[in-house]
Amino acid sequence: MSFVLGRLGQTVLVLLVAAFVSFSLFRYVGDPVNNMVGQTASLADREAMRAALGLDDPFVVQFLRFVGQALQGDFGISYRYGQPVSTLIAERFPATLELALISMLIATGLGVPLGVWTALHRGHWFSQVLLAISLIGVALPTFLIGIALILTFSVWLGWLPSFGRGQVVDLGWWSTGFLSWSGLRALVLPSVTLGVFQLALIMRLARAEMLEVMRADFIRFARARGLRPRAIEYRHALRNTLVPVVTMIGLQFGNVFAFSIIVETVFQWPGLGLLVIQAIQFADVPLLAAYLVLIALCFAVINLAVDLLYVAIDPRVRTSGAIRRTA
């Protein structure tokens, strides 16, 4: 319990730092009043708008007001859309989260087994082919993979849609594409595009870790005891391999969620990425600050989940913590 409370305290600190940094930086992005009132507005109109938005207050006052409202779930009004920021983020959040989830499921579900298999069959020709393909997946830029998939599966074959989210089903405030055929088809190309780099990265890391563990002393000892190869590989070696791999998966999931902007732009996916691009062009400070706080929160939650997974995967982590407390 103390471990979880400590992590939650760190999470609050991270959120405050993220909010402060984002609020500080976005003051220099541009003047939102110019974009809101147009070129023909008089100086008096501009000052009135600035006072109405609270932009003439000192920075500290603006920041404390933002934090106080954020604690109540109110991130202010978007300068561009004239709507509550929380409403805009709630509308786009499901699309980005579903895209990130599916891409990481693809990357993890294929990357870990393929990495382990290539480590256990180093001399096999198919292992060399997989390694060459993974190198291509790491080297190619994401937007190029997306364009190639659109050209192949949408333009030439006509199997899958090239843009949009398809038909979505509303479940309260959450809109999902998982419950309609067109929504599932629309997910395929962007999620594969987003997952290719992660798949190659996870596969190569799992392979390297598995090779390292298979050379460890406890594996030699297990062989000397006469344990079956399958038990050594999948019961003892794989568990020790997963600890750094889980760390990488957690960090990559945060990256995929936060930086899917390119994929969302290529496929016109109505998620947070497109919203942020438009917010940057308009100097929409409340929206940008709320987005960065949300991203910081996602990273903090993912890191907390990864730390808890450590204990489940490797009991030595829990044991070492108990030993330190009793020392």
mmCIF file with all atom_site columns, all heavy atoms in Angstrom, residues 235-252:
data_model
loop_
_atom_site.group_PDB
_atom_site.id
_atom_site.type_symbol
_atom_site.label_atom_id
_atom_site.label_alt_id
_atom_site.label_comp_id
_atom_site.label_asym_id
_atom_site.label_entity_id
_atom_site.label_seq_id
_atom_site.pdbx_PDB_ins_code
_atom_site.Cartn_x
_atom_site.Cartn_y
_atom_site.Cartn_z
_atom_site.occupancy
_atom_site.B_iso_or_equiv
_atom_site.pdbx_formal_charge
_atom_site.auth_seq_id
_atom_site.auth_comp_id
_atom_site.auth_asym_id
_atom_site.auth_atom_id
_atom_site.pdbx_PDB_model_num
ATOM 1   N N   . ARG A 1 235 ? 9.371  -21.569 -18.832 1.00 0.00 ? 235 ARG A N   1
ATOM 2   C CA  . ARG A 1 235 ? 9.015  -21.372 -17.428 1.00 0.00 ? 235 ARG A CA  1
ATOM 3   C C   . ARG A 1 235 ? 10.041 -20.513 -16.713 1.00 0.00 ? 235 ARG A C   1
ATOM 4   O O   . ARG A 1 235 ? 9.693  -19.651 -15.914 1.00 0.00 ? 235 ARG A O   1
ATOM 5   C CB  . ARG A 1 235 ? 8.898  -22.718 -16.709 1.00 0.00 ? 235 ARG A CB  1
ATOM 6   C CG  . ARG A 1 235 ? 8.415  -22.576 -15.259 1.00 0.00 ? 235 ARG A CG  1
ATOM 7   C CD  . ARG A 1 235 ? 8.345  -23.913 -14.567 1.00 0.00 ? 235 ARG A CD  1
ATOM 8   N NE  . ARG A 1 235 ? 7.446  -24.828 -15.250 1.00 0.00 ? 235 ARG A NE  1
ATOM 9   C CZ  . ARG A 1 235 ? 7.349  -26.132 -14.970 1.00 0.00 ? 235 ARG A CZ  1
ATOM 10  N NH1 . ARG A 1 235 ? 8.104  -26.654 -14.012 1.00 0.00 ? 235 ARG A NH1 1
ATOM 11  N NH2 . ARG A 1 235 ? 6.523  -26.897 -15.630 1.00 0.00 ? 235 ARG A NH2 1
ATOM 12  N N   . HIS A 1 236 ? 11.314 -20.710 -16.996 1.00 0.00 ? 236 HIS A N   1
ATOM 13  C CA  . HIS A 1 236 ? 12.365 -19.988 -16.271 1.00 0.00 ? 236 HIS A CA  1
ATOM 14  C C   . HIS A 1 236 ? 12.940 -18.828 -17.093 1.00 0.00 ? 236 HIS A C   1
ATOM 15  O O   . HIS A 1 236 ? 13.043 -17.707 -16.580 1.00 0.00 ? 236 HIS A O   1
ATOM 16  C CB  . HIS A 1 236 ? 13.475 -20.964 -15.885 1.00 0.00 ? 236 HIS A CB  1
ATOM 17  C CG  . HIS A 1 236 ? 13.006 -22.091 -15.020 1.00 0.00 ? 236 HIS A CG  1
ATOM 18  N ND1 . HIS A 1 236 ? 12.688 -21.920 -13.695 1.00 0.00 ? 236 HIS A ND1 1
ATOM 19  C CD2 . HIS A 1 236 ? 12.781 -23.408 -15.302 1.00 0.00 ? 236 HIS A CD2 1
ATOM 20  C CE1 . HIS A 1 236 ? 12.292 -23.085 -13.181 1.00 0.00 ? 236 HIS A CE1 1
ATOM 21  N NE2 . HIS A 1 236 ? 12.339 -23.999 -14.139 1.00 0.00 ? 236 HIS A NE2 1
ATOM 22  N N   . ALA A 1 237 ? 13.322 -19.080 -18.326 1.00 0.00 ? 237 ALA A N   1
ATOM 23  C CA  . ALA A 1 237 ? 13.977 -18.028 -19.114 1.00 0.00 ? 237 ALA A CA  1
ATOM 24  C C   . ALA A 1 237 ? 12.992 -16.935 -19.519 1.00 0.00 ? 237 ALA A C   1
ATOM 25  O O   . ALA A 1 237 ? 13.303 -15.740 -19.432 1.00 0.00 ? 237 ALA A O   1
ATOM 26  C CB  . ALA A 1 237 ? 14.624 -18.647 -20.349 1.00 0.00 ? 237 ALA A CB  1
ATOM 27  N N   . LEU A 1 238 ? 11.798 -17.333 -19.951 1.00 0.00 ? 238 LEU A N   1
ATOM 28  C CA  . LEU A 1 238 ? 10.850 -16.340 -20.458 1.00 0.00 ? 238 LEU A CA  1
ATOM 29  C C   . LEU A 1 238 ? 10.433 -15.355 -19.370 1.00 0.00 ? 238 LEU A C   1
ATOM 30  O O   . LEU A 1 238 ? 10.305 -14.155 -19.619 1.00 0.00 ? 238 LEU A O   1
ATOM 31  C CB  . LEU A 1 238 ? 9.623  -17.043 -21.037 1.00 0.00 ? 238 LEU A CB  1
ATOM 32  C CG  . LEU A 1 238 ? 8.546  -16.128 -21.620 1.00 0.00 ? 238 LEU A CG  1
ATOM 33  C CD1 . LEU A 1 238 ? 9.122  -15.274 -22.743 1.00 0.00 ? 238 LEU A CD1 1
ATOM 34  C CD2 . LEU A 1 238 ? 7.363  -16.942 -22.145 1.00 0.00 ? 238 LEU A CD2 1
ATOM 35  N N   . ARG A 1 239 ? 10.239 -15.847 -18.146 1.00 0.00 ? 239 ARG A N   1
ATOM 36  C CA  . ARG A 1 239 ? 9.819  -14.947 -17.049 1.00 0.00 ? 239 ARG A CA  1
ATOM 37  C C   . ARG A 1 239 ? 10.870 -13.880 -16.794 1.00 0.00 ? 239 ARG A C   1
ATOM 38  O O   . ARG A 1 239 ? 10.534 -12.717 -16.571 1.00 0.00 ? 239 ARG A O   1
ATOM 39  C CB  . ARG A 1 239 ? 9.562  -15.777 -15.798 1.00 0.00 ? 239 ARG A CB  1
ATOM 40  C CG  . ARG A 1 239 ? 9.289  -14.936 -14.576 1.00 0.00 ? 239 ARG A CG  1
ATOM 41  C CD  . ARG A 1 239 ? 8.788  -15.744 -13.428 1.00 0.00 ? 239 ARG A CD  1
ATOM 42  N NE  . ARG A 1 239 ? 7.442  -16.233 -13.647 1.00 0.00 ? 239 ARG A NE  1
ATOM 43  C CZ  . ARG A 1 239 ? 6.717  -16.844 -12.735 1.00 0.00 ? 239 ARG A CZ  1
ATOM 44  N NH1 . ARG A 1 239 ? 7.221  -17.024 -11.533 1.00 0.00 ? 239 ARG A NH1 1
ATOM 45  N NH2 . ARG A 1 239 ? 5.505  -17.257 -12.986 1.00 0.00 ? 239 ARG A NH2 1
ATOM 46  N N   . ASN A 1 240 ? 12.139 -14.255 -16.822 1.00 0.00 ? 240 ASN A N   1
ATOM 47  C CA  . ASN A 1 240 ? 13.197 -13.262 -16.613 1.00 0.00 ? 240 ASN A CA  1
ATOM 48  C C   . ASN A 1 240 ? 13.352 -12.341 -17.813 1.00 0.00 ? 240 ASN A C   1
ATOM 49  O O   . ASN A 1 240 ? 13.820 -11.205 -17.678 1.00 0.00 ? 240 ASN A O   1
ATOM 50  C CB  . ASN A 1 240 ? 14.520 -13.967 -16.323 1.00 0.00 ? 240 ASN A CB  1
ATOM 51  C CG  . ASN A 1 240 ? 14.536 -14.596 -14.942 1.00 0.00 ? 240 ASN A CG  1
ATOM 52  O OD1 . ASN A 1 240 ? 14.858 -13.948 -13.965 1.00 0.00 ? 240 ASN A OD1 1
ATOM 53  N ND2 . ASN A 1 240 ? 14.132 -15.862 -14.862 1.00 0.00 ? 240 ASN A ND2 1
ATOM 54  N N   . THR A 1 241 ? 12.968 -12.828 -18.985 1.00 0.00 ? 241 THR A N   1
ATOM 55  C CA  . THR A 1 241 ? 13.043 -11.979 -20.174 1.00 0.00 ? 241 THR A CA  1
ATOM 56  C C   . THR A 1 241 ? 11.992 -10.883 -20.155 1.00 0.00 ? 241 THR A C   1
ATOM 57  O O   . THR A 1 241 ? 12.213 -9.782  -20.667 1.00 0.00 ? 241 THR A O   1
ATOM 58  C CB  . THR A 1 241 ? 12.853 -12.859 -21.432 1.00 0.00 ? 241 THR A CB  1
ATOM 59  O OG1 . THR A 1 241 ? 13.887 -13.850 -21.466 1.00 0.00 ? 241 THR A OG1 1
ATOM 60  C CG2 . THR A 1 241 ? 12.897 -12.027 -22.697 1.00 0.00 ? 241 THR A CG2 1
ATOM 61  N N   . LEU A 1 242 ? 10.850 -11.155 -19.544 1.00 0.00 ? 242 LEU A N   1
ATOM 62  C CA  . LEU A 1 242 ? 9.709  -10.253 -19.667 1.00 0.00 ? 242 LEU A CA  1
ATOM 63  C C   . LEU A 1 242 ? 9.855  -8.952  -18.886 1.00 0.00 ? 242 LEU A C   1
ATOM 64  O O   . LEU A 1 242 ? 9.184  -7.975  -19.215 1.00 0.00 ? 242 LEU A O   1
ATOM 65  C CB  . LEU A 1 242 ? 8.435  -10.976 -19.209 1.00 0.00 ? 242 LEU A CB  1
ATOM 66  C CG  . LEU A 1 242 ? 7.901  -12.026 -20.165 1.00 0.00 ? 242 LEU A CG  1
ATOM 67  C CD1 . LEU A 1 242 ? 6.639  -12.660 -19.604 1.00 0.00 ? 242 LEU A CD1 1
ATOM 68  C CD2 . LEU A 1 242 ? 7.620  -11.427 -21.536 1.00 0.00 ? 242 LEU A CD2 1
ATOM 69  N N   . VAL A 1 243 ? 10.694 -8.907  -17.857 1.00 0.00 ? 243 VAL A N   1
ATOM 70  C CA  . VAL A 1 243 ? 10.765 -7.698  -17.034 1.00 0.00 ? 243 VAL A CA  1
ATOM 71  C C   . VAL A 1 243 ? 11.181 -6.468  -17.855 1.00 0.00 ? 243 VAL A C   1
ATOM 72  O O   . VAL A 1 243 ? 10.465 -5.454  -17.873 1.00 0.00 ? 243 VAL A O   1
ATOM 73  C CB  . VAL A 1 243 ? 11.706 -7.917  -15.834 1.00 0.00 ? 243 VAL A CB  1
ATOM 74  C CG1 . VAL A 1 243 ? 11.916 -6.607  -15.082 1.00 0.00 ? 243 VAL A CG1 1
ATOM 75  C CG2 . VAL A 1 243 ? 11.115 -8.965  -14.899 1.00 0.00 ? 243 VAL A CG2 1
ATOM 76  N N   . PRO A 1 244 ? 12.316 -6.484  -18.555 1.00 0.00 ? 244 PRO A N   1
ATOM 77  C CA  . PRO A 1 244 ? 12.638 -5.298  -19.377 1.00 0.00 ? 244 PRO A CA  1
ATOM 78  C C   . PRO A 1 244 ? 11.690 -5.115  -20.555 1.00 0.00 ? 244 PRO A C   1
ATOM 79  O O   . PRO A 1 244 ? 11.452 -3.984  -20.989 1.00 0.00 ? 244 PRO A O   1
ATOM 80  C CB  . PRO A 1 244 ? 14.069 -5.579  -19.857 1.00 0.00 ? 244 PRO A CB  1
ATOM 81  C CG  . PRO A 1 244 ? 14.235 -7.044  -19.759 1.00 0.00 ? 244 PRO A CG  1
ATOM 82  C CD  . PRO A 1 244 ? 13.396 -7.491  -18.616 1.00 0.00 ? 244 PRO A CD  1
ATOM 83  N N   . VAL A 1 245 ? 11.148 -6.221  -21.068 1.00 0.00 ? 245 VAL A N   1
ATOM 84  C CA  . VAL A 1 245 ? 10.221 -6.100  -22.206 1.00 0.00 ? 245 VAL A CA  1
ATOM 85  C C   . VAL A 1 245 ? 8.940  -5.382  -21.774 1.00 0.00 ? 245 VAL A C   1
ATOM 86  O O   . VAL A 1 245 ? 8.410  -4.539  -22.508 1.00 0.00 ? 245 VAL A O   1
ATOM 87  C CB  . VAL A 1 245 ? 9.902  -7.496  -22.782 1.00 0.00 ? 245 VAL A CB  1
ATOM 88  C CG1 . VAL A 1 245 ? 8.848  -7.392  -23.878 1.00 0.00 ? 245 VAL A CG1 1
ATOM 89  C CG2 . VAL A 1 245 ? 11.169 -8.129  -23.344 1.00 0.00 ? 245 VAL A CG2 1
ATOM 90  N N   . VAL A 1 246 ? 8.448  -5.701  -20.578 1.00 0.00 ? 246 VAL A N   1
ATOM 91  C CA  . VAL A 1 246 ? 7.245  -5.024  -20.072 1.00 0.00 ? 246 VAL A CA  1
ATOM 92  C C   . VAL A 1 246 ? 7.507  -3.531  -19.893 1.00 0.00 ? 246 VAL A C   1
ATOM 93  O O   . VAL A 1 246 ? 6.647  -2.691  -20.173 1.00 0.00 ? 246 VAL A O   1
ATOM 94  C CB  . VAL A 1 246 ? 6.796  -5.675  -18.753 1.00 0.00 ? 246 VAL A CB  1
ATOM 95  C CG1 . VAL A 1 246 ? 5.774  -4.805  -18.036 1.00 0.00 ? 246 VAL A CG1 1
ATOM 96  C CG2 . VAL A 1 246 ? 6.191  -7.038  -19.023 1.00 0.00 ? 246 VAL A CG2 1
ATOM 97  N N   . THR A 1 247 ? 8.714  -3.194  -19.431 1.00 0.00 ? 247 THR A N   1
ATOM 98  C CA  . THR A 1 247 ? 9.064  -1.777  -19.303 1.00 0.00 ? 247 THR A CA  1
ATOM 99  C C   . THR A 1 247 ? 8.983  -1.075  -20.650 1.00 0.00 ? 247 THR A C   1
ATOM 100 O O   . THR A 1 247 ? 8.406  0.021   -20.781 1.00 0.00 ? 247 THR A O   1
ATOM 101 C CB  . THR A 1 247 ? 10.488 -1.632  -18.741 1.00 0.00 ? 247 THR A CB  1
ATOM 102 O OG1 . THR A 1 247 ? 10.564 -2.337  -17.500 1.00 0.00 ? 247 THR A OG1 1
ATOM 103 C CG2 . THR A 1 247 ? 10.830 -0.183  -18.508 1.00 0.00 ? 247 THR A CG2 1
ATOM 104 N N   . MET A 1 248 ? 9.568  -1.717  -21.662 1.00 0.00 ? 248 MET A N   1
ATOM 105 C CA  . MET A 1 248 ? 9.545  -1.131  -23.003 1.00 0.00 ? 248 MET A CA  1
ATOM 106 C C   . MET A 1 248 ? 8.119  -1.013  -23.529 1.00 0.00 ? 248 MET A C   1
ATOM 107 O O   . MET A 1 248 ? 7.734  0.006   -24.131 1.00 0.00 ? 248 MET A O   1
ATOM 108 C CB  . MET A 1 248 ? 10.383 -2.001  -23.943 1.00 0.00 ? 248 MET A CB  1
ATOM 109 C CG  . MET A 1 248 ? 10.345 -1.555  -25.398 1.00 0.00 ? 248 MET A CG  1
ATOM 110 S SD  . MET A 1 248 ? 11.003 0.101   -25.625 1.00 0.00 ? 248 MET A SD  1
ATOM 111 C CE  . MET A 1 248 ? 12.736 -0.207  -25.312 1.00 0.00 ? 248 MET A CE  1
ATOM 112 N N   . ILE A 1 249 ? 7.295  -2.035  -23.301 1.00 0.00 ? 249 ILE A N   1
ATOM 113 C CA  . ILE A 1 249 ? 5.911  -1.994  -23.787 1.00 0.00 ? 249 ILE A CA  1
ATOM 114 C C   . ILE A 1 249 ? 5.151  -0.845  -23.124 1.00 0.00 ? 249 ILE A C   1
ATOM 115 O O   . ILE A 1 249 ? 4.399  -0.118  -23.786 1.00 0.00 ? 249 ILE A O   1
ATOM 116 C CB  . ILE A 1 249 ? 5.214  -3.345  -23.498 1.00 0.00 ? 249 ILE A CB  1
ATOM 117 C CG1 . ILE A 1 249 ? 5.820  -4.433  -24.387 1.00 0.00 ? 249 ILE A CG1 1
ATOM 118 C CG2 . ILE A 1 249 ? 3.709  -3.240  -23.747 1.00 0.00 ? 249 ILE A CG2 1
ATOM 119 C CD1 . ILE A 1 249 ? 5.337  -5.829  -24.053 1.00 0.00 ? 249 ILE A CD1 1
ATOM 120 N N   . GLY A 1 250 ? 5.367  -0.659  -21.825 1.00 0.00 ? 250 GLY A N   1
ATOM 121 C CA  . GLY A 1 250 ? 4.694  0.434   -21.137 1.00 0.00 ? 250 GLY A CA  1
ATOM 122 C C   . GLY A 1 250 ? 5.087  1.797   -21.689 1.00 0.00 ? 250 GLY A C   1
ATOM 123 O O   . GLY A 1 250 ? 4.233  2.652   -21.945 1.00 0.00 ? 250 GLY A O   1
ATOM 124 N N   . LEU A 1 251 ? 6.382  1.996   -21.886 1.00 0.00 ? 251 LEU A N   1
ATOM 125 C CA  . LEU A 1 251 ? 6.839  3.282   -22.415 1.00 0.00 ? 251 LEU A CA  1
ATOM 126 C C   . LEU A 1 251 ? 6.342  3.501   -23.837 1.00 0.00 ? 251 LEU A C   1
ATOM 127 O O   . LEU A 1 251 ? 5.936  4.608   -24.216 1.00 0.00 ? 251 LEU A O   1
ATOM 128 C CB  . LEU A 1 251 ? 8.374  3.345   -22.379 1.00 0.00 ? 251 LEU A CB  1
ATOM 129 C CG  . LEU A 1 251 ? 8.997  3.376   -20.986 1.00 0.00 ? 251 LEU A CG  1
ATOM 130 C CD1 . LEU A 1 251 ? 10.509 3.311   -21.077 1.00 0.00 ? 251 LEU A CD1 1
ATOM 131 C CD2 . LEU A 1 251 ? 8.576  4.645   -20.252 1.00 0.00 ? 251 LEU A CD2 1
ATOM 132 N N   . GLN A 1 252 ? 6.361  2.436   -24.646 1.00 0.00 ? 252 GLN A N   1
ATOM 133 C CA  . GLN A 1 252 ? 5.915  2.573   -26.030 1.00 0.00 ? 252 GLN A CA  1
ATOM 134 C C   . GLN A 1 252 ? 4.415  2.831   -26.111 1.00 0.00 ? 252 GLN A C   1
ATOM 135 O O   . GLN A 1 252 ? 3.949  3.530   -27.005 1.00 0.00 ? 252 GLN A O   1
ATOM 136 C CB  . GLN A 1 252 ? 6.291  1.320   -26.829 1.00 0.00 ? 252 GLN A CB  1
ATOM 137 C CG  . GLN A 1 252 ? 7.768  1.176   -27.078 1.00 0.00 ? 252 GLN A CG  1
ATOM 138 C CD  . GLN A 1 252 ? 8.343  2.400   -27.782 1.00 0.00 ? 252 GLN A CD  1
ATOM 139 O OE1 . GLN A 1 252 ? 7.797  2.894   -28.749 1.00 0.00 ? 252 GLN A OE1 1
ATOM 140 N NE2 . GLN A 1 252 ? 9.453  2.903   -27.266 1.00 0.00 ? 252 GLN A NE2 1
#
